[in-house]
Amino acid sequence: MDPLTRLYPLPESSCCSFENYNLTTEWLLNQTNHRPKVAVICGSGLGLLADVATDKKIFRYQDIPNFPVSTVAGHEGCLVFGMIEDTPCVFMQGHFHLYEGYSLCQVTFPVRIFKLMGVETVLVTNASGGICPDFKVGDIMIMKDHINLPGFAGQHPLCGPNDERFGIRFPCMSDAYSKDLRRLTLDIVSELGCSNYVREGVYCMVSGPNFETIAEARMLRILGCDSVGMSTVPEVTVAKHCGLRVLGLSLITNKVSLDYSREEKVNHEEVLEISKMRTEVLQKLATMIITRCQQQSINTH
Ligand SMILES: O=P(O)(O)O[C@H]1O[C@H](CO)[C@@H](O)[C@H]1O
Ligand SMILES: Nc1nc2[nH]cnc2c(=O)[nH]1
């Protein structure tokens, strides 16, 4: 072994080699005839978004080479290929988190697989706590931007050697969330008559697994965060790095306490319950977005 490699082992975030990505991609391409154009990453309790797909082929994460497995309730741990009308899609029923002990390379592993499979657009969904005082439980927040709090501290999926086959060393993130897809979503929302509970806002990622203290929540509000969760930002960053078009929908499952006198305590069961409550509308919304974005074939990333 090269003595330098021994002294300075590669950082965890560069644990996946191009060969790892290729192997998994080839394996999936050999196991299914589906060639997805849109990937949907389903957050806590939102795996049912895959139910509306037809002609499904399902893989359990544990059976896919190199894939991490889901360890959190509300994350089924299945990769579902299927059609939404004429659009070939792939759904992740459950995604991965830093707090599960995964490296950010593992957390974002599926995104690069999707890229290599030919996916062009990623729809990420998650559950988050509302910080913006106007937000109500059950609101759907179209992600306009994000704050990568772990990234500020060096927990960033693109740290480590840059593989130019995926993207450039210093990617721009000022347009992480496609403006065209956000506009399309707003149009669909108004057609569906659900504008009264759809918002736009800034999502902040924290590592978790604890929910926020009141002082932390107040700090996040001052920083300009509208909602907070423990996922999504690494996947979006890697998706943007490799040229995928991204739309993010965050379901506000609880209000984050900003006040010491507030008695309510957030818990994961409540998060899953609210996700279930909004499944139907999110299914409808996702279906329309997928169908229309393919029809319109918007080009800007
Ligand atoms: O972001 P997703 O996975 O949707 O779930 C959110 O809800 C869980 C906490 O209840 C955390 O995993 C948080 O990130
Ligand atoms: N960090 C964090 N994640 C969440 N996921 C769902 N609700 C919350 C919340 O209030 N805080």
Side-chain angles (χ1 to χ4, degrees), residues 43-44 75 95 97 99 126-127 211 229-231 268 271:
S44 286
H75 294 254
H95 58 164
H97 307 84
Y99 65 73
N126 62 49
F211 293 106
M230 310 170 195
S231 70
H268 188 56
V271 168

Side-chain angles (χ1 to χ4, degrees), residues 285-299:
L285 195 55
T287 303
M288 288 176 77
I289 293 166
I290 291 166
T291 316
R292 298 257 187 102
C293 86
Q294 281 306 103
Q295 276 166 2
Q296 292 179 1
S297 72
I298 306 163
N299 290 318

Side-chain angles (χ1 to χ4, degrees), residues 102-296:
Y102 288 124
S103 69
L104 286 175
C105 165
Q106 291 170 302
V107 167
T108 59
F109 185 77
V111 176
R112 286 182 167 173
I113 302 302
F114 299 151
K115 172 71 183 179
L116 293 177
M117 290 190 88
V119 162
E120 292 165 357
T121 305
V122 182
L123 166 56
V124 286
T125 65
N126 62 49
S128 69
I131 292 178
C132 172
D134 298 340
F135 285 7
K136 294 188 203 64
V137 170
D139 281 355
I140 296 165
M141 184 186 86
I142 301 169
M143 293 169 69
K144 183 170 154 189
D145 204 348
H146 68 226
I147 293 179
N148 183 359
L149 218 49
F152 285 3
Q155 280 277 25
H156 192 293
L158 300 177
C159 278
N162 184 56
D163 193 330
E164 298 279 333
R165 286 168 289 193
F166 285 116
I168 56 175
R169 172 78 285 187
F170 301 109
C172 176
M173 281 294 148
S174 62
D175 57 348
Y177 300 88
S178 157
K179 214 180 243 179
D180 292 326
L181 289 179
R182 285 193 279 130
R183 200 173 299 127
L184 174 68
T185 306
L186 284 171
D187 289 346
I188 295 171
V189 161
S190 93
E191 266 176 56
L192 289 174
C194 50
S195 307
N196 56 328
Y197 59 86
V198 177
R199 325 268 172 193
E200 276 201 289
V202 175
Y203 173 92
C204 178
M205 182 204 176
V206 295
S207 73
N210 64 277
F211 293 106
E212 291 61 46
T213 65
I214 290 172
E216 286 165 350
R218 289 179 172 189
M219 179 194 81
L220 295 178
R221 188 175 166 199
I222 292 166
L223 291 181
C225 311
D226 295 305
S227 86
V228 57
M230 310 170 195
S231 70
T232 305
V233 169
E235 289 117 303
V236 169
T237 305
V238 166
K240 187 74 176 98
H241 177 248
C242 66
L244 295 171
R245 194 160 50 133
V246 177
L247 176 69
L249 297 178
S250 186
L251 177 63
I252 308 299
T253 52
N254 56 285
K255 278 186 80 90
V256 176
S257 283
L258 290 155
D259 186 340
Y260 286 98
S261 66
R262 196 157 169 262
E263 291 294 328
E264 289 133 83
K265 306 265 180 287
V266 56
N267 61 68
H268 188 56
E269 289 65 42
E270 177 194 350
V271 168
L272 297 183
E273 205 177 295
I274 301 297
S275 302
K276 214 160 134 195
M277 191 190 92
R278 276 286 186 241
T279 297
E280 211 174 305
V281 69
L282 279 166
Q283 275 173 339
K284 182 109 196 113
L285 195 55
T287 303
M288 288 176 77
I289 293 166
I290 291 166
T291 316
R292 298 257 187 102
C293 86
Q294 281 306 103
Q295 276 166 2
Q296 292 179 1

